Amino acid sequence: MDNADIEKMIKDFIFSYPKLHRVETRWREPIVGFVSAEDPMFAQFKSIIRATHAAPSELLPEANSVVAYFIPFAKNLHKENFKMKHYAARSWAVAYVETNRLISRINEHLKSELESQGYRMALIPPTHNFDEQSLMSDWSHRHVAYAAGIGRFGSHNLIITEKGCSGRVGSFVTDLMLEPSARSENERCLHKAGFDCLKCVTRCEYEALYADRFDRHACYRQLLINDNYYADLELTDVCGKCSAMVPCSVINPVKAKGEI
Ligand code: B12
Ligand code: SF4
Ligand code: SF4
């Protein structure tokens, strides 16, 4: 089993999912990346994120590789989220619930496929694996996605991929030996690449995102306001206005400028 097999399994699963399950959300083709479990970046994460951030071997002692994937939402979703004033759009809240479930199911599917061929895999939940006080996780999917070459951080903190930032990230650890993906040195955020933008900051009306800082507790307060607003849905701590109708919502805007 190699990189192409893993990528195909993830893509096929997402492609057939709406045909097999009653879901409102639609997704575009995912972007899959690979990184060695021995990559020195995992040691750096213990200082960049926090000391308790797990190394792959702490999740799976025989770890050889880490796989990360970004599942982009259909292109209309961020527009719907933009149109709804103050609160997140209902479709954005539903997409959060449905995509978290999709990620869990992809991982369960891959685990059983890998185990049937004698390999091992550690399951990691898509979210809610964070400390409610510090609002940090001991396994940051988006840092792992960065390490696996899937994208780079934007001024809004989100990972920007070739298909934008509007979507969700999953990752897992396995003992399979996989070829690491290349990491691009090119920024994907217009502001970071030296262009005028910071539209994400303008979108945040909740005193959370500024040009030079991010107040994660203010952000979380807004997420919980939305959860309360959509009380008929299961936990939906969402907002995502900083990713709605911004240049990096569904594309790599630096590439679109023809700069790279
Ligand atoms: C805790 C958490 C939150 C907290 C704190 C947010 C935060 N910034 O960490 C709260 C509840 C506020 C929150 C809010 C949101 N979240 Co959240 N959240 C998480 C969770 C569970 C852990 C994140 C974590 O621990 N981060 C660690 C801290 C230290 O990282 P950080 O604050 O982002 O800061 C780093 C970057 O700025 C980075 N950075 C900047 N430039 C560079 C450059 C380099 C080279 C490097 C290495 C790093 C780097 O440096 C900082 C430290 O490393 C993850 C799921 C997971 N387990 O990974 C989802 C996750 C990050 N959330 C996600 C989303 C979508 C959201 C929301 C849009 C809500 C929504 N769904 O509508 C908002 C966006 C807020 C924002 N602008 O960041 C997605 C991100 C998808 C993406 N495209 O990136 C994730 C990955 C969930 C998922 N499975 O997809 N979230
Ligand atoms: S909206 Fe602009 S400044 Fe903000 S992350 Fe996207 S490209 Fe960067
Ligand atoms: S998710 Fe909402 S509250 Fe949090 S930074 Fe983005 S726009 Fe601001």
Side-chain angles (χ1 to χ4, degrees), residues 45-81:
F45 289 165
K46 287 191 183 284
S47 51
I48 302 176
I49 305 173
R50 57 190 196 149
T52 52
H53 193 274
S57 62
E58 291 171 75
L59 297 171
L60 185 73
E62 316 77 358
N64 284 317
S65 311
V66 180
V67 182
Y69 53 91
F70 174 74
I71 310 181
F73 292 137
K75 285 187 175 171
N76 62 321
L77 196 66
H78 73 102
K79 294 179 187 164
E80 289 172 19
N81 200 25

Coordinates of all heavy atoms in Angstrom, one line a residue, residues 45-81:
F45 N 6.8 21.6 17.2 CA 5.4 21.8 17.6 C 5.3 21.9 19.1 O 4.4 22.6 19.7 CB 4.4 20.8 17.0 CG 4.2 21.0 15.5 CD1 3.6 20.0 14.8 CD2 4.7 22.1 14.8 CE1 3.5 20.1 13.4 CE2 4.5 22.3 13.5 CZ 3.9 21.2 12.7
K46 N 6.2 21.1 19.8 CA 6.1 21.1 21.3 C 6.4 22.5 21.8 O 6.0 22.9 22.9 CB 7.0 20.1 21.8 CG 6.4 18.6 21.6 CD 7.2 17.6 22.5 CE 6.7 16.2 22.2 NZ 5.4 15.9 22.9
S47 N 7.3 23.3 21.1 CA 7.6 24.6 21.6 C 6.6 25.7 20.9 O 6.2 26.6 21.6 CB 9.0 25.0 21.4 OG 9.4 24.7 20.1
I48 N 6.3 25.5 19.6 CA 5.4 26.5 18.9 C 4.0 26.4 19.5 O 3.4 27.4 19.8 CB 5.3 26.2 17.4 CG1 6.7 26.2 16.7 CG2 4.4 27.2 16.8 CD1 6.6 25.8 15.2
I49 N 3.5 25.2 19.7 CA 2.1 25.1 20.2 C 2.1 24.9 21.7 O 1.7 25.9 22.4 CB 1.4 23.9 19.5 CG1 1.5 24.0 18.0 CG2 -0.1 23.8 19.9 CD1 1.0 22.8 17.2
R50 N 2.5 23.8 22.2 CA 2.7 23.7 23.6 C 3.4 22.3 23.9 O 3.3 21.4 23.1 CB 1.4 23.8 24.4 CG 0.3 22.8 24.0 CD -1.0 23.2 24.8 NE -2.0 22.2 24.8 CZ -2.8 22.0 25.8 NH1 -2.8 22.8 26.8 NH2 -3.8 21.1 25.7
A51 N 4.0 22.2 25.1 CA 4.8 21.1 25.4 C 4.1 19.8 25.4 O 4.7 18.7 25.1 CB 5.4 21.3 26.8
T52 N 2.8 19.8 25.6 CA 2.0 18.6 25.6 C 1.6 18.1 24.2 O 0.9 17.1 24.1 CB 0.8 18.7 26.5 OG1 0.1 19.9 26.1 CG2 1.2 18.8 28.0
H53 N 1.9 19.0 23.2 CA 1.5 18.6 21.8 C 2.1 17.2 21.5 O 3.3 17.0 21.7 CB 1.9 19.6 20.8 CG 1.2 19.4 19.5 ND1 1.7 18.5 18.5 CD2 0.0 19.8 19.0 CE1 0.9 18.5 17.4 NE2 -0.1 19.3 17.7
A54 N 1.3 16.2 21.1 CA 1.8 14.9 20.9 C 2.8 14.7 19.7 O 2.6 15.4 18.7 CB 0.6 13.9 20.7
A55 N 3.8 13.9 19.9 CA 4.6 13.4 18.8 C 3.8 12.2 18.2 O 3.1 11.5 19.0 CB 6.0 13.0 19.3
P56 N 4.0 11.9 16.9 CA 3.3 10.8 16.4 C 3.5 9.5 17.1 O 2.5 8.7 17.3 CB 3.8 10.7 14.9 CG 4.2 12.1 14.6 CD 4.7 12.7 15.9
S57 N 4.7 9.3 17.6 CA 5.0 8.0 18.4 C 4.2 8.0 19.7 O 4.1 6.9 20.3 CB 6.5 7.9 18.6 OG 6.9 9.0 19.4
E58 N 3.8 9.1 20.2 CA 3.0 9.1 21.5 C 1.5 8.6 21.2 O 0.8 8.2 22.1 CB 3.0 10.5 22.1 CG 4.4 10.8 22.7 CD 4.4 12.3 23.1 OE1 3.8 12.6 24.2 OE2 5.0 13.1 22.4
L59 N 1.1 8.7 19.9 CA -0.2 8.3 19.5 C -0.2 6.8 19.0 O -1.1 6.1 19.2 CB -0.8 9.2 18.5 CG -1.0 10.6 18.9 CD1 -1.4 11.5 17.7 CD2 -2.1 10.7 20.0
L60 N 1.0 6.5 18.4 CA 1.2 5.1 17.9 C 2.7 4.8 18.0 O 3.5 5.4 17.3 CB 0.7 5.1 16.4 CG 0.7 3.7 15.8 CD1 -0.4 2.8 16.3 CD2 0.6 3.8 14.2
P61 N 3.0 3.9 18.9 CA 4.5 3.7 19.2 C 5.2 3.3 17.9 O 6.4 3.7 17.8 CB 4.5 2.6 20.2 CG 3.2 2.8 20.9 CD 2.2 3.2 19.9
E62 N 4.6 2.6 17.0 CA 5.3 2.1 15.8 C 5.1 3.1 14.6 O 5.4 2.8 13.5 CB 4.7 0.8 15.3 CG 4.4 -0.3 16.3 CD 3.1 -0.1 17.1 OE1 2.4 1.0 16.9 OE2 2.8 -1.0 17.9
A63 N 4.8 4.4 14.9 CA 4.5 5.3 13.9 C 5.6 5.5 12.9 O 6.8 5.7 13.3 CB 4.1 6.7 14.5
N64 N 5.3 5.5 11.6 CA 6.2 5.8 10.5 C 5.8 7.0 9.7 O 6.7 7.8 9.2 CB 6.4 4.6 9.6 CG 7.2 3.5 10.2 OD1 8.2 3.8 10.8 ND2 6.8 2.3 10.0
S65 N 4.5 7.2 9.6 CA 4.0 8.3 8.7 C 2.8 9.0 9.3 O 2.1 8.3 10.1 CB 3.6 7.8 7.3 OG 4.6 7.0 6.8
V66 N 2.6 10.2 8.9 CA 1.3 10.9 9.3 C 0.7 11.4 8.0 O 1.4 11.9 7.1 CB 1.7 12.1 10.2 CG1 0.4 12.9 10.6 CG2 2.4 11.7 11.5
V67 N -0.6 11.2 8.0 CA -1.4 11.6 6.8 C -2.3 12.7 7.2 O -3.0 12.6 8.2 CB -2.2 10.4 6.2 CG1 -3.0 10.8 4.9 CG2 -1.3 9.2 5.9
A68 N -2.4 13.8 6.4 CA -3.3 14.9 6.6 C -4.1 15.1 5.4 O -3.6 14.9 4.3 CB -2.6 16.1 7.0
Y69 N -5.4 15.5 5.6 CA -6.2 15.8 4.4 C -7.1 17.0 4.7 O -7.6 17.1 5.8 CB -7.0 14.6 3.9 CG -7.8 13.9 4.9 CD1 -9.1 14.2 5.1 CD2 -7.3 12.9 5.7 CE1 -9.9 13.6 6.1 CE2 -8.0 12.3 6.7 CZ -9.3 12.6 6.9 OH -10.1 12.0 7.8
F70 N -7.3 17.8 3.6 CA -8.2 19.0 3.7 C -9.4 18.7 2.9 O -9.3 18.3 1.7 CB -7.5 20.2 3.2 CG -8.3 21.4 3.1 CD1 -8.7 22.1 4.3 CD2 -8.8 21.9 1.9 CE1 -9.5 23.3 4.2 CE2 -9.6 23.0 1.8 CZ -9.9 23.7 3.0
I71 N -10.6 18.8 3.4 CA -11.8 18.5 2.7 C -12.5 19.9 2.4 O -13.1 20.5 3.3 CB -12.8 17.6 3.4 CG1 -12.1 16.4 4.0 CG2 -14.0 17.3 2.5 CD1 -13.0 15.4 4.7
P72 N -12.3 20.4 1.2 CA -12.9 21.7 0.9 C -14.4 21.6 0.7 O -15.0 20.7 0.1 CB -12.3 22.1 -0.5 CG -11.5 20.9 -0.9 CD -11.7 19.8 0.0
F73 N -15.1 22.6 1.3 CA -16.6 22.7 1.2 C -16.9 23.1 -0.3 O -16.1 23.8 -0.9 CB -17.1 23.8 2.1 CG -17.0 23.4 3.6 CD1 -16.7 24.4 4.5 CD2 -17.4 22.2 4.1 CE1 -16.6 24.1 5.9 CE2 -17.3 21.9 5.4 CZ -16.9 22.8 6.3
A74 N -18.1 22.8 -0.7 CA -18.6 23.3 -2.0 C -18.4 24.8 -2.0 O -18.5 25.5 -1.0 CB -20.0 22.9 -2.2
K75 N -18.3 25.4 -3.3 CA -17.9 26.8 -3.4 C -19.0 27.8 -2.9 O -18.7 28.9 -2.6 CB -17.5 27.1 -4.8 CG -16.2 26.6 -5.2 CD -15.8 27.0 -6.6 CE -14.3 26.6 -6.9 NZ -14.0 26.8 -8.3
N76 N -20.2 27.3 -2.8 CA -21.3 28.3 -2.4 C -21.3 28.5 -0.8 O -21.9 29.4 -0.4 CB -22.6 27.7 -2.9 CG -23.0 26.4 -2.3 OD1 -22.1 25.5 -2.1 ND2 -24.2 26.2 -1.9
L77 N -20.7 27.5 -0.1 CA -21.0 27.5 1.4 C -20.5 28.8 2.1 O -21.2 29.4 2.9 CB -20.4 26.3 2.0 CG -20.9 26.0 3.4 CD1 -22.4 25.6 3.4 CD2 -20.1 24.9 4.1
H78 N -19.3 29.3 1.7 CA -18.8 30.5 2.4 C -19.6 31.7 2.0 O -19.8 32.6 2.8 CB -17.3 30.7 2.1 CG -17.1 31.1 0.7 ND1 -16.8 32.5 0.4 CD2 -17.1 30.5 -0.5 CE1 -16.6 32.6 -0.9 NE2 -16.8 31.4 -1.5
K79 N -20.2 31.7 0.8 CA -21.1 32.8 0.4 C -22.4 32.8 1.3 O -22.8 33.9 1.7 CB -21.5 32.7 -1.1 CG -20.3 32.8 -2.0 CD -20.7 32.6 -3.5 CE -19.5 32.6 -4.4 NZ -19.8 32.1 -5.7
E80 N -22.9 31.6 1.5 CA -24.1 31.6 2.4 C -23.8 32.1 3.8 O -24.5 32.8 4.4 CB -24.6 30.1 2.4 CG -25.2 29.7 1.1 CD -25.6 28.2 1.1 OE1 -25.7 27.6 2.1 OE2 -25.7 27.7 0.0
N81 N -22.6 31.7 4.2 CA -22.2 32.1 5.6 C -22.0 33.6 5.6 O -22.3 34.3 6.6 CB -20.9 31.4 6.0 CG -20.7 31.4 7.5 OD1 -21.6 31.5 8.2 ND2 -19.4 31.3 7.9

